[in-house]
Amino acid sequence: MNSKTGVVPSVLKKAFMIFFFMSLSFMLWAQTSEYTVKAVAFEKISLFTQWPSKTFENSDSDFIIAVLGENTFGKELENIYADHKIKDKKVRIVYLNDIKQLTNCNLLFISKISKSKLPKILSHIGKKPILTIADSEGFAEAGCFINFFEQEGKIRFEINQKALEAAGFKVDYKLLQVSKIVKTQDK
Amino acid sequence: MKLERLYNYSLKSTLIRLIISISLIAVIVGLILYISFDMYNTMDSQKKDALLNAKLVGEYSAAPMIFGYSDEAENILEKLVTLPAVTEACLYTTESDKPFATYQKTSEEPYTFPAVQEEKAVYKGRFLYIFHEITYEETRCGTIFMRISTLSLLDRLIRNIFVAILLLIILLIITFIVASHQQKVISKPILKLTALTEKITKNQDYSVKMEYTGIDEISKLYKEISLMLSEITLHQHERDKAEEKLKKLNEELETRVNERTSQLLAINKELESFSYSISHDLRAPLRAIYGFSQILSRRHRDSLNEEGRQYMDYIVESSVRMEHLINDLLNYSRLGRKSVEMRPISLQKILDNIHHDFSQKLKEVGGKLIFEGYDTEIYGDESLLQQIFINLVENAITYRRIEVPLEIKIMCVTNPDSYLIKVSDNGIGIPEEFWEKIFNIFQRLHSDEEYPGTGIGLANVKKSVDKLNGEVWVESVVGQGSTFFIKLPQPKNIFQNV
């Protein structure tokens, strides 16, 4: 690049750079805000949900949240649950890349994973008392218990009530009251 | 005052008023208590209901509040439309003290919702204010606020008062009917008693039978009164008997008195004629004694020695005194025998005679006679009146004081029913203890040497006044004089006294 042509574009480049960083930071903030809400929702949903009996028999154990796939929360989960308890237990967060890494957890957040991989994940979980939460369209119908979606700029969630109850979970009607109830669709 | 007023009502109306007022007071107190209790209960239950509703709404709103879904929360609040008393409601999240979702029954006047407050339920003005904390599984979700109209309470109060007044009127009517009927239990026997006693008073018949069975005290009253009546009858009977006895005794006494009086009169007459004949018969020998002793003393004085002459003087003196005594006695007994002729007499005529009779003697002693009001015509017997004045004037002359000139004053005053004649002098006076005694015959206060007299003069006065149906008495100050009072009745009173 010659220096003559390089003067004006350098200003543009600067402006573009500023714009780029600004929009990036905004996007990051927006994303963080959305995921903060979701992270907080874990506790709120847990409040209205009763795990199958004997799940929390060992009183010393922690409440384990596992995040499968891309970590969209950043450090948010650790921040929030550093001093927040779920079901009166200390919260531990684990990040998994593959479902095979899963050994023991109470809540599994399935993040940005192709829908085709879901059956494999679910079958791996099997009858374990794990509350599965996703944020991809159609996941609830596919057998995931709870799935976040966006409506009128608010984060809402849908519940596959039958699947949840079949797995031995009990869910308060109050939670159903604010959620969309879906059914498993066999396809 | 109040009691007096009470007496003016009849027993019946008093009883009815008493019963009605007692039952009304009881019912009014009861109704006031009932209404107050009902209002308290209603307020309490309204509070409880409101709290229950707040809890319910709170429960439904728990999830929307936790998840921050205000649309859903408002939708839930909208359901409050089924509770018309709730005018405003709102929800507060734990994060802010500003309402998170609001509800208003009517949007006519916008309501400024208060900032969040702690749990409470208070009545203020015409509203009930409720703040209720919503918790879920021991997690605080937020607070619900409700403003509830108390118009229904007011309605209830008005309805209660209306029903109470209606009840009161009905009770008043029923009480009046029952009281009018029941008061007879008390008033009937008392009214009967009143009628009976009235009859007794009217007929003076105490032998009425009184019987009643029923109320203890009243039947006792009947018994007591009938006992009293029998007692009265008994006493009356006894009194009648005693009266009868007394009457008989009285009659007996009267006849006895009459007998005695006639006996006494006869004896008195006998005595009078005896004393008259004695004095009359004594006069002749006395005259002989007097005449011969005087002749003896005059003609044969010189033939007697000094002692004999002195004795002769005593005889003459004594016979003079004896003559006086006999004359007075004759006068006195004549008074008793004399018949009384009552007629109007001019006092002036009598007093003129007196003046004439005593003029010589008054001149001798240097005294004078003064008359006052003597142009009166009085009613009496002339010779008796003459006797009275003669004796009184003689008395005044006899008992005069030497050191002062004698002054005799005769006054007559006419009173509506009597004449009062006063004869006063400035003589020696009479000590008070003798004011009555001096009118007795032969009663003398002084020796014959001091003041000569027979002691018959004032007895004569007394007897004459008695015969005229009058009274005589004396008032006197020793050393200053005496006043004799003679009170004679007016003709009409004479007949009355007789």
Side-chain angles (χ1 to χ4, degrees):
Chain A
M1 278 185 209
N2 57 59
S3 59
K4 207 185 170 185
T5 52
V7 178
V8 174
S10 77
V11 177
L12 274 170
K13 214 159 108 187
K14 250 184 193 170
F16 176 74
M17 282 293 276
I18 290 166
F19 176 74
F20 175 76
F21 279 113
M22 272 178 68
S23 49
L24 187 73
S25 63
F26 174 76
M27 278 165 73
L28 273 171
W29 175 82
Q31 204 163 19
T32 321
S33 166
E34 180 197 329
Y35 279 92
T36 309
V37 171
K38 282 177 183 169
V40 173
F42 290 166
E43 188 203 349
K44 291 176 176 175
I45 288 166
S46 302
L47 186 67
F48 293 101
T49 313
Q50 212 179 329
W51 264 254
S53 52
K54 294 178 185 173
T55 306
F56 299 111
E57 264 190 336
N58 189 353
S59 55
D60 295 336
S61 64
D62 296 335
F63 187 92
I64 302 164
I65 298 172
V67 180
L68 182 65
E70 191 189 338
N71 177 17
T72 44
F73 295 103
K75 283 282 169 194
E76 204 61 44
L77 279 172
E78 282 81 357
N79 289 341
I80 289 166
Y81 292 109
D83 53 357
H84 264 74
K85 284 182 170 183
I86 296 179
K87 293 284 172 195
D88 208 23
K89 283 171 187 298
K90 249 176 80 185
V91 179
R92 187 146 59 84
I93 295 134
V94 292
Y95 297 96
L96 309 170
N97 290 318
D98 193 278
I99 188 66
K100 279 174 186 155
Q101 291 174 303
L102 179 77
T103 49
N104 183 28
C105 81
N106 305 106
L107 193 152
L108 177 69
F109 183 69
I110 304 160
S111 168
K112 302 217 167 145
I113 282 179
S114 156
K115 200 179 176 182
S116 56
K117 284 183 182 170
L118 191 63
K120 195 181 148 200
I121 293 164
L122 292 177
S123 70
H124 185 84
I125 292 165
K127 294 274 178 199
K128 281 181 193 146
I130 297 172
L131 186 71
T132 51
I133 302 175
D135 66 346
S136 307
E137 199 188 331
F139 269 45
E141 288 90 341
C144 200
F145 296 145
I146 292 164
N147 187 40
F148 290 116
F149 66 96
E150 210 183 299
Q151 191 182 53
E152 290 165 3
K154 271 186 184 163
I155 291 163
R156 318 279 310 207
F157 53 92
E158 49 195 13
I159 294 180
N160 189 333
Q161 191 190 355
K162 276 204 174 150
L164 193 64
E165 280 169 1
F169 284 90
K170 277 178 190 159
V171 59
D172 197 304
Y173 76 94
K174 292 186 184 77
L175 189 65
L176 301 173
Q177 189 193 330
V178 291
S179 60
K180 187 179 159 195
I181 293 161
V182 296
K183 282 179 185 168
T184 311
Q185 283 173 3
D186 298 316
K187 210 175 96 180
Chain B
M1 271 299 278
K2 273 193 173 172
L3 267 175
E4 268 173 42
R5 250 185 56 208
L6 204 71
Y7 285 134
N8 288 338
Y9 294 104
S10 75
L11 182 66
K12 257 186 195 172
S13 69
T14 310
L15 280 173
I16 291 172
R17 278 187 310 118
L18 208 68
I19 295 168
I20 288 176
S21 50
I22 289 169
S23 15
L24 276 190
I25 288 167
V27 170
I28 288 169
V29 170
L31 283 173
I32 288 170
L33 279 177
Y34 171 75
I35 290 172
S36 315
F37 189 66
D38 182 68
M39 279 319 285
Y40 174 78
N41 268 352
T42 312
M43 280 166 85
D44 198 49
S45 70
Q46 196 192 29
K47 241 184 212 180
K48 278 181 185 157
D49 279 357
L51 212 64
L52 194 71
N53 286 327
K55 267 183 189 160
L56 265 169
V57 175
E59 182 135 344
Y60 272 103
S61 317
M65 285 178 86
I66 283 176
F67 288 100
Y69 300 150
S70 58
D71 295 351
E72 255 117 341
E74 274 186 356
N75 281 342
I76 289 164
L77 287 181
E78 279 297 323
K79 304 238 161 68
L80 284 171
V81 83
T82 52
L83 300 171
V86 180
T87 55
E88 282 87 16
C90 76
L91 293 164
Y92 305 89
T93 58
T94 47
E95 276 110 42
S96 164
D97 65 348
K98 295 265 171 357
F100 156 73
T102 61
Y103 162 77
Q104 229 184 325
K105 198 172 93 179
T106 53
S107 51
E108 277 162 21
E109 22 183 325
Y111 179 67
T112 317
F113 286 93
V116 69
Q117 287 172 32
E118 57 191 22
E119 180 95 24
K120 66 163 76 161
V122 287
Y123 281 99
K124 208 165 136 196
R126 291 185 292 112
F127 292 95
L128 170 64
Y129 293 84
I130 292 217
F131 282 94
H132 175 64
E133 277 180 9
I134 304 165
T135 55
Y136 178 76
E137 303 267 314
E138 290 166 24
T139 306
R140 268 201 64 198
C141 314
T143 305
I144 179 166
F145 161 78
M146 289 203 304
R147 194 165 83 122
I148 297 156
S149 158
T150 52
L151 269 175
S152 65
L153 280 180
L154 198 70
D155 280 354
R156 195 187 172 90
L157 183 67
I158 290 167
R159 205 183 56 220
N160 273 348
I161 289 170
F162 178 73
V163 170
I165 289 168
L166 205 75
L167 211 71
L168 219 60
I169 291 167
I170 293 168
L171 261 163
L172 190 71
I173 294 164
I174 293 172
T175 314
F176 180 76
I177 294 165
V178 174
S180 313
H181 189 73
Q182 287 295 306
Q183 55 82 21
K184 283 180 195 156
V185 177
I186 294 170
S187 69
K188 215 175 165 185
I190 291 176
L191 292 177
K192 192 180 149 195
L193 193 66
T194 315
L196 273 172
T197 46
E198 260 173 17
K199 204 170 132 191
I200 289 166
T201 323
K202 205 173 152 193
N203 300 345
Q204 294 286 316
D205 176 17
Y206 299 102
S207 58
V208 179
K209 273 270 168 248
M210 290 198 144
E211 263 165 29
Y212 166 80
T213 46
I215 300 167
D216 259 9
E217 286 82 353
I218 297 177
S219 73
K220 202 176 171 197
L221 184 69
Y222 267 75
K223 251 182 228 161
E224 290 296 322
I225 288 177
S226 81
L227 215 76
M228 215 161 74
L229 284 178
S230 57
E231 199 87 346
I232 287 173
T233 321
L234 201 77
H235 279 291
Q236 208 181 27
H237 194 66
E238 276 176 10
R239 193 195 63 195
D240 286 352
K241 253 172 144 181
E243 246 173 26
E244 191 73 22
K245 221 171 162 183
L246 206 68
K247 212 170 149 189
K248 226 167 159 184
L249 229 82
N250 226 13
E251 277 169 8
E252 270 176 35
L253 200 68
E254 211 158 301
T255 42
R256 240 178 337 179
V257 165
N258 283 343
E259 270 173 32
R260 287 282 152 83
T261 314
S262 53
Q263 274 176 11
L264 281 173
L265 277 172
I267 289 169
N268 209 27
K269 220 164 191 177
E270 224 170 276
L271 211 64
E272 264 173 12
S273 53
F274 171 73
S275 65
Y276 179 78
S277 49
I278 280 194
S279 21
H280 192 265
D281 292 351
L282 278 175
R283 226 150 76 157
L286 182 68
R287 272 217 185 112
I289 294 171
Y290 176 68
F292 287 116
S293 60
Q294 251 187 347
I295 293 166
L296 207 61
S297 137
R298 220 167 30 229
R299 289 191 196 163
H300 304 281
R301 198 167 182 86
D302 300 332
S303 55
L304 288 171
N305 62 4
E306 188 55 32
E307 201 183 10
R309 280 203 288 271
Q310 202 179 352
Y311 292 157
M312 190 53 69
D313 286 345
Y314 284 155
I315 291 169
V316 175
E317 228 171 87
S318 293
S319 54
V320 170
R321 256 169 50 207
M322 187 88 163
E323 166 105 39
H324 276 162
L325 188 66
I326 282 170
N327 277 340
D328 282 355
L329 263 177
L330 267 174
N331 250 341
Y332 186 75
S333 44
R334 257 193 219 115
L335 274 179
R337 292 149 68 87
K338 207 176 163 291
S339 60
V340 183
E341 262 180 73
M342 297 294 268
R343 59 190 173 84
I345 309 148
S346 158
L347 192 62
Q348 191 174 359
K349 193 183 147 199
I350 297 169
L351 292 179
D352 281 348
N353 284 341
I354 296 295
H355 194 246
H356 182 259
D357 289 352
F358 283 96
S359 57
Q360 185 61 37
K361 203 159 190 185
L362 281 169
K363 207 177 262 174
E364 276 169 30
V365 299
K368 58 177 171 178
L369 201 54
I370 303 159
F371 300 134
E372 248 174 57
Y374 67 107
D375 51 348
T376 326
E377 188 165 77
I378 62 168
Y379 191 80
D381 180 280
E382 194 181 336
S383 64
L384 284 176
L385 285 167
Q386 201 102 24
Q387 275 292 320
I388 291 167
F389 287 116
I390 287 168
N391 278 297
L392 286 177
V393 172
E394 234 168 31
N395 222 44
I397 292 167
T398 309
Y399 299 101
R400 66 182 189 277
R401 275 183 293 159
I402 309 298
E403 63 269 25
V404 289
L406 176 64
E407 197 177 280
I408 303 166
K409 203 192 252 174
I410 299 178
M411 273 167 67
C412 184
V413 182
T414 312
N415 289 326
D417 56 347
S418 62
Y419 309 102
L420 185 67
I421 298 159
K422 286 197 258 181
V423 180
S424 40
D425 60 56
N426 55 352
I428 57 170
I430 305 155
E432 197 178 341
E433 63 261 39
F434 297 107
W435 285 3
E436 277 183 37
K437 282 184 185 168
I438 49 163
F439 292 105
N440 294 342
I441 191 164
F442 301 130
Q443 181 71 51
R444 302 217 51 216
L445 305 184
H446 309 275
S447 66
D448 215 29
E449 284 76 30
E450 277 182 289
Y451 297 99
T454 54
I456 296 172
L458 287 178
N460 257 334
V461 170
K462 170 102 172 101
K463 199 165 188 178
S464 307
V465 173
D466 280 351
K467 288 208 123 184
L468 293 171
N469 283 321
E471 283 172 65
V472 62
W473 68 97
V474 69
E475 277 171 23
S476 173
V477 181
V478 175
Q480 281 186 22
S482 315
T483 305
F484 287 86
F485 295 88
I486 294 144
K487 193 170 154 194
L488 297 175
Q490 294 252 31
K492 50 184 179 186
N493 292 83
I494 294 172
F495 299 121
Q496 262 174 26
N497 283 359
V498 170

